[in-house]
Amino acid sequence: MSDAPRAGLTSWLTTTDHKRIGLLYFYTALGFFFLGGVEALVIRLQLAQPNGHVVSAEVYNQLFTMHGTTMVFLALMPLSASFFNYIVPLQIGARDVAFPRLNAFSYWVFLSGGLLLNASWVTGPLYHAGMLSVAPDGGWFGYANLTERQFSPGPNIDFWLLGLQILGVSSLAAGFNFIVTILNLRAPGMRMMRLPTFTWMTLVTQFLIITAFPVITVGLVFLMFDRFFGTHFYLPEAGGTPLLWQHLFWLFGHPEVYILILPAMGIVSEVLPTFARKPLFGYTVVVYSGILIGFMGWGVWSHHMFAVGLGPIADSVFAATTMLIAVPTGVKIFNWIGTLWGGAIRGTTALHFAVGFIAMFIIGGLSGVSHASPPADLQQTDTYYVVGHIHYVLFGGTVFGLFAGIYYWWPKMTGQLLDETLGKWHFWLQFIGMNLAFFPMHLIGLLGMPRRVYTYGPELGVGQLNLVSTIGAFTIALAMLVFLVNLLGIGRRRRAAPNDPWEGATLEWSVSSPPPVYNFSVIPTIESRLPRWRTERHGPMPDPPAVPPAPIHVPAGSWWPLVAALGIPVMALAPLTHTLWIVFVGAAILLVGIYRWAFEPFEV
Amino acid sequence: MTHAAAIAPRTSLGLDNRKMAFWAFIGSECLLFGSLISTYLVYKGRSVVGPYPHDILNIPFTSISTFDLLMSSLTMVLALAAVQRADMRWGKLWLFATALLGLVFLGGQVIEFTEFVHKGLTIGTNLFGCTFFVLTGTHGAHVAVGVVWLLTLGARALQGKLGPANAMTVEIMGLYWHFVDVVWIVIFTVVYLIQ
Amino acid sequence: MSDRTERAPLPEASGRRPGAHPTADVYLRVAAVLVVLTVLEVGVFYVPAFHPVLVPTLLVLSAVKFSLVVMFYMHLKADSPFFTFLFGAPLLLAAAVLVALLLLFFGTLTLRGAPGAG
């Protein structure tokens, strides 16, 4: 195919355009985000009062497992990915990513993994069970040996481990793609220390992905072999230990939380300067802190294991490293505050979410520091205190940061402005809702309510606090409805977005909203970190001309990333149906896809 | 008009995109094999029942496999050198030689695994079985993928579609193949020689 | 994308230019050394006199083999230092994780003092 079609289903199925792929990630991730949200609401309904009867214990276990897995892997990471895809090439002055077809492949693999995981909600009847019975139910962290065949005989954990392996392939492929893109496809003059902070944080995140995901891959392979081929990696009877799973999982899992937060920190580092009309305070320090967080994130994993009996030396070492990692994070917070200080503040919705991020992340960080102390953590671990912590950092942090990004970049991505009034309503409802939902959890946890249990007795005395938390959750839901109304433009006329609604400093604002398919009619030459602003040493860079001076080749689409991607879930069907030959069918599809991909003429 | 009319350099670091991506991939594979090897080591000596490594590992046989793989790295790099200097006759020869040596290695693995099963060591027998077979099996799977890739390149060469202009594809093949070889160097030492 | 005009890469790219490719001569000599090192490794394994220093000797020998293949066959010595970073940093990380896990499972980090954290 010589010229990519621009309209119709085929054009979307074969797209290799980073902007389209970014939009695909965005809408898919948003869908999974709402699904995970519904799971949370059911959980909160069940916990709103002691001895709740909304769902059974078995369903509850599936709910919290799927809520966590969905939010981490199908919502937050892909929402970040939608911005990596759409925004990073624009910010570095490139026409696309280094490997556009690999980019498409990543998306289709993500979609198939997400669908496979969630298919488990309804495939119970295929296993002679009811609906809502074979979804993963071992927690998002899947501790062995609960996840072994002996204690989890059904397909639930198989769905989980296969879904995660598939998602890992997607993330790894994207990781290699973005590393090469950011390092190798920058416009002339775009030195590394002139990169927008969001692009820098994206780069660090990709390095974390390509190093952390192989570890969970191995851990999941061991689990799969235990469940299917009679190995004993996590079984004490044969000399193994469930602790191996915990090490492998958290060696991945801790870098994973930095994978979740760094992009949001990058977004905040873009939004604050724009709406304070002031450059980021201490850009260099913020960048180096991000890099440092990436490295140090590898040294803290066993702080998730303070209660398993590692011994005092191990506990102390990890306590120290965990406390240390608060330092570069704190540095960033001061730099953000310094950015706002003395700035000419424009209180847009994006700015509200960015400031909300700072405040909520500080609270989450404080509870995190309390976890860093093993004696304190012995009481906190496995209680709702931790649930409070993770939601302050992941919801108050990542989700708020992502919404800041949505309100900031939606005009660029769609050519439409969101309504600011509705945006403020969204923000305040979400802010109030989140604090109502998650603050009481600190108290609930310290009062002794364990996590991951479907109900609690009235004698624990946490009924009222749980009710408050549930009200908060529904307030968040209301906020999301307001957001949806805004997103869908219900009841108002949509306003077209100009190239640069915010007077931004970075390159994405120099092209139309949405950008032309080739991004830049002429690749700009960069002379400062803030190309579109007037600084002491540089005038603002003129935007590229509206019409390209010479024809620009735009790569064609391709079917093969989609075909190759489909081979992978087909392979996953083999263990799910205990039918070996299916794996060869899937492998054949994958191979055909790869070969056709490798040998088709494709010019970037 | 302005200096915005500048044209982008081919790549910012002057390095080939595919080569950079591949080195990043190899970095990532260090963590994959590192996790497998770590597991082998932390479970070393913890098998509750035998057979144990000293009962069953055949050093002379495996030494030959090791030589075989080392020689395949030599033939691989000779293949690359030949392609780069447009000597496609030797290029094809060395590529197929590498594939053959790879197949010999795989054959050796099959023989070894079959022996072990006959002597009572299966993947589920004990921790040694688990860790050994998954580690060396993963490595073997990588070799197998490499052989398929080599044969593909060889076929392209036979069709006249491989030459110095696309020598980068052979270089990247080489990176993969040598990496698989160095992983074996580590496995040979850690699993076979240090018992 | 179709901007094909060559220009000098950015400042970060200044560094070693890819050296002239080693000749087959170098490759053969490296191969010979690799064979010798492997013979030594197997020798150390079989000769009882070496057993007290078995582990460090084998680790050193295999590390040398590893480095030779990486530096010469994978051309890392002559290529951009950036590739060395792309490979070396994860390699160091993997090694550090391995050592940490060994310490956690076997070291004196357990309260009970018995091997393994259990």
Side-chain angles (χ1 to χ4, degrees):
Chain A
M1 116 178 22
S2 53
D3 254 319
R6 296 301 304 164
L9 182 61
T10 304
S11 73
W12 285 93
L13 295 176
T14 59
T15 186
T16 57
D17 177 345
H18 71 100
K19 299 184 288 298
R20 285 219 164 173
I21 295 171
L23 285 172
L24 286 172
Y25 267 107
F26 182 80
Y27 289 116
T28 310
L30 209 59
F32 282 123
F33 180 68
F34 290 132
L35 179 57
V38 166
E39 288 157 356
L41 289 178
V42 179
I43 291 173
R44 284 313 326 164
L45 276 175
Q46 166 67 11
L47 295 177
Q49 54 191 349
N51 296 323
H53 304 295
V54 175
V55 292
S56 67
E58 287 73 25
V59 171
Y60 185 84
N61 292 347
Q62 293 169 74
L63 281 170
F64 73 73
T65 303
M66 289 300 283
H67 168 75
T69 307
T70 297
M71 286 308 198
V72 169
F73 294 104
L74 305 181
L76 264 49
M77 284 183 78
L79 274 172
S80 301
S82 75
F83 293 128
F84 301 157
N85 269 280
Y86 208 106
I87 302 297
V88 166
L90 291 171
Q91 284 195 335
I92 65 175
R95 291 231 155 85
D96 207 311
V97 297
F99 305 106
R101 288 174 298 174
L102 189 65
N103 204 13
F105 175 77
S106 282
Y107 170 74
W108 294 115
V109 173
F110 150 62
L111 177 66
S112 72
L115 290 175
L116 186 117
L117 260 176
N118 282 284
S120 61
W121 281 118
V122 299
T123 45
L126 295 174
Y127 295 95
H128 310 294
M131 301 271 274
L132 308 186
S133 65
V134 300
D137 60 354
W140 88 278
F141 42 82
Y143 277 172
N145 43 359
L146 174 63
T147 49
E148 296 278 354
R149 192 64 77 182
Q150 177 187 6
F151 299 111
S152 292
N156 316 48
I157 302 299
D158 301 324
F159 272 103
W160 184 73
L161 68 89
L162 291 164
L164 284 186
Q165 292 287 47
I166 296 174
L167 295 168
V169 169
S170 167
S171 295
L172 280 165
F176 303 126
N177 214 345
F178 282 106
I179 287 174
V180 177
T181 302
I182 293 171
L183 291 170
N184 243 4
L185 264 57
R186 291 168 280 142
M190 177 66 79
R191 302 191 206 135
M192 292 304 287
M193 292 315 274
R194 286 181 181 163
L195 280 179
T197 322
F198 175 67
T199 297
W200 253 118
M201 294 303 106
T202 301
L203 182 65
V204 177
T205 302
Q206 305 309 315
F207 274 103
L208 284 174
I209 288 175
I210 70 168
T211 46
F213 270 83
V215 183
I216 185 76
T217 302
V218 167
L220 289 170
V221 164
F222 289 167
L223 182 62
M224 185 173 83
F225 272 67
D226 274 11
R227 288 177 63 82
F228 285 93
F229 301 124
T231 52
H232 323 286
F233 285 102
Y234 306 124
L235 295 172
E237 312 81 88
T241 169
L243 230 52
L244 178 66
W245 166 265
Q246 291 196 30
H247 280 296
L248 291 175
F249 183 82
W250 288 117
L251 274 165
F252 153 77
H254 198 85
E256 168 67 9
V257 311
Y258 293 109
I259 290 167
L260 290 169
I261 198 67
L262 283 174
M265 288 182 163
I267 295 175
V268 165
S269 305
E270 303 279 335
V271 168
L272 292 178
T274 304
F275 298 113
R277 291 193 214 261
K278 237 177 115 224
L280 180 68
F281 187 90
Y283 165 93
T284 311
V285 169
V286 171
V287 167
Y288 280 120
S289 296
I291 296 171
L292 204 55
I293 289 173
F295 277 111
M296 293 170 77
W298 273 95
V300 303
W301 81 91
S302 283
H303 67 216
H304 299 271
M305 299 164 68
F306 280 152
V308 308
L310 293 174
I313 300 180
D315 282 353
S316 308
V317 167
F318 283 101
T321 55
T322 306
M323 291 185 200
L324 274 176
I325 205 170
V327 172
T329 313
V331 163
K332 287 188 162 216
I333 291 179
F334 284 114
N335 278 285
W336 290 324
I337 296 173
T339 305
L340 290 168
W341 192 274
I345 310 288
R346 288 176 293 159
T348 57
T349 308
L351 185 73
H352 277 66
F353 276 104
V355 174
F357 169 103
I358 299 175
M360 300 296 96
F361 191 76
I362 289 177
I363 297 177
L366 288 173
S367 58
V369 170
S370 71
H371 286 321
S373 158
D377 190 59
L378 272 179
Q379 187 189 10
Q380 299 156 357
T381 199
D382 290 334
T383 70
Y384 262 81
Y385 189 94
V386 186
V387 183
H389 163 68
I390 57 185
H391 285 91
Y392 264 88
V393 288
L394 287 179
F395 192 91
T398 304
V399 172
F400 270 61
L402 288 170
F403 274 115
I406 292 173
Y407 280 93
Y408 188 52
W409 281 316
W410 173 266
K412 176 58 55 185
M413 291 162 73
T414 61
Q416 290 157 6
L417 290 169
L418 285 171
D419 184 85
E420 282 290 310
T421 310
L422 277 177
K424 305 288 171 50
W425 275 98
H426 167 199
F427 171 79
W428 286 110
L429 281 170
Q430 185 170 315
F431 183 81
I432 292 167
M434 110 144 243
N435 284 289
L436 277 179
F438 304 122
F439 198 82
M441 290 184 179
H442 299 100
L443 302 165
I444 292 171
L446 290 177
L447 286 170
M449 180 174 172
R451 331 164 46 168
R452 312 165 187 155
V453 180
Y454 79 114
T455 191
Y456 54 95
E459 62 278 3
L460 207 54
V462 294
Q464 287 209 309
L465 286 171
N466 266 293
L467 184 60
V468 170
S469 176
T470 300
I471 293 171
F474 278 87
T475 310
I476 294 175
L478 186 58
M480 294 303 163
L481 280 174
V482 172
F483 169 66
L484 264 183
V485 167
N486 201 350
L487 207 70
L488 298 171
I490 295 174
R492 67 168 209 277
R493 202 174 29 199
R494 292 200 196 259
R495 293 178 297 143
N499 292 14
D500 180 15
W502 315 123
E503 292 169 60
T506 45
L507 288 180
E508 71 268 34
W509 306 111
S510 69
V511 293
S512 61
S513 299
V517 66
Y518 46 76
N519 293 354
F520 300 93
S521 55
V522 170
I523 302 287
T525 300
I526 308 306
E527 291 177 355
S528 82
R529 193 179 290 155
L530 302 164
R532 299 188 73 257
W533 280 3
R534 176 177 306 283
T535 63
E536 286 154 1
R537 273 168 291 176
H538 301 101
M541 177 198 95
D543 293 339
V547 175
I552 300 177
H553 163 75
V554 172
S558 170
W559 281 105
W560 303 115
L562 173 58
V563 170
L566 284 175
I568 296 177
V570 171
M571 288 170 75
L573 285 178
L576 284 174
T577 57
H578 294 264
T579 318
L580 183 60
W581 59 262
I582 295 181
V583 94
F584 297 110
V585 174
I589 298 173
L590 176 63
L591 271 174
V592 166
I594 290 176
Y595 271 82
R596 298 299 300 256
W597 174 347
F599 297 132
E600 77 176 337
F602 186 88
E603 225 184 287
V604 171
Chain B
M1 268 288 273
T2 68
H3 37 244
I7 314 236
R10 220 154 47 84
T11 64
S12 311
L13 293 184
L15 303 171
D16 184 278
N17 282 346
R18 293 163 295 171
K19 192 166 169 179
M20 188 187 292
F22 210 78
W23 273 112
F25 170 70
I26 289 179
S28 163
E29 289 261 272
C30 287
L31 270 300
L32 188 93
F33 280 104
S35 305
L36 288 166
I37 294 171
S38 298
T39 302
Y40 181 86
L41 288 175
V42 301
Y43 274 169
K44 207 166 147 67
R46 294 169 78 126
S47 292
V48 171
V49 297
Y52 301 100
H54 58 239
D55 295 326
I56 206 166
L57 294 177
N58 185 337
I59 303 303
F61 185 83
T62 315
S63 304
I64 297 175
S65 284
T66 305
F67 279 114
D68 170 272
L69 213 57
L70 282 177
M71 289 306 102
S72 75
S73 265
L74 174 63
T75 55
M76 180 72 236
V77 78
L78 290 175
L80 174 63
V83 173
Q84 281 169 337
R85 62 172 191 270
D87 184 350
M88 286 320 294
R89 196 172 140 263
W90 279 103
K92 277 178 267 192
L93 206 114
W94 290 128
L95 273 177
F96 282 112
T98 311
L100 181 65
L101 288 169
L103 279 170
V104 167
F105 178 84
L106 285 174
Q109 292 292 79
V110 169
I111 292 174
E112 184 188 35
F113 288 7
T114 318
E115 260 293 292
F116 287 6
V117 170
H118 284 160
K119 288 190 175 159
L121 183 75
T122 67
I123 200 173
T125 307
N126 57 9
L127 279 184
F128 173 54
C130 299
T131 54
F132 174 82
F133 282 113
V134 174
L135 170 59
T136 55
T138 303
H139 175 265
H142 277 74
V143 176
V145 167
V147 169
V148 171
W149 189 351
L150 278 164
L151 292 174
T152 307
L153 279 182
R156 296 285 283 179
L158 286 173
Q159 293 173 319
K161 292 185 181 168
L162 196 64
N166 49 8
M168 179 56 70
T169 57
V170 182
E171 188 171 351
I172 289 177
M173 170 83 242
L175 289 179
Y176 179 81
W177 193 257
H178 298 308
F179 180 71
V180 166
D181 187 21
V182 300
V183 171
W184 183 256
I185 290 174
V186 177
I187 293 178
F188 182 57
T189 305
V190 161
V191 173
Y192 290 85
L193 296 180
I194 301 180
Q195 284 180 22
Chain C
M1 289 142 184
S2 60
D3 305 301
R4 299 250 176 254
T5 310
E6 308 257 338
R7 263 180 66 128
L10 289 176
E12 291 92 15
S14 61
R16 295 199 288 255
R17 286 187 301 114
H21 293 290
T23 58
D25 193 44
V26 174
Y27 297 146
L28 288 166
R29 279 192 269 160
V30 168
V33 174
L34 288 172
V35 167
V36 167
L37 288 173
T38 309
V39 168
L40 285 176
E41 281 182 324
V42 176
V44 166
F45 176 81
Y46 275 117
V47 173
F50 283 106
H51 282 185
V53 293
L54 180 79
V55 173
T57 312
L58 285 174
L59 288 177
V60 166
L61 286 173
S62 61
V64 174
K65 285 166 67 179
F66 187 106
S67 309
L68 284 172
V69 174
V70 169
M71 285 199 298
F72 290 100
Y73 286 174
M74 296 171 87
H75 212 245
L76 204 55
K77 182 163 176 289
D79 271 343
S80 162
F82 184 69
F83 292 143
T84 306
F85 167 75
L86 270 183
F87 176 65
L91 181 67
L92 270 168
L93 181 62
V97 165
L98 187 141
V99 169
L101 284 174
L102 284 176
L103 286 172
L104 281 164
F105 276 82
F106 291 122
T108 54
L109 301 186
T110 62
L111 189 63
R112 289 175 279 288

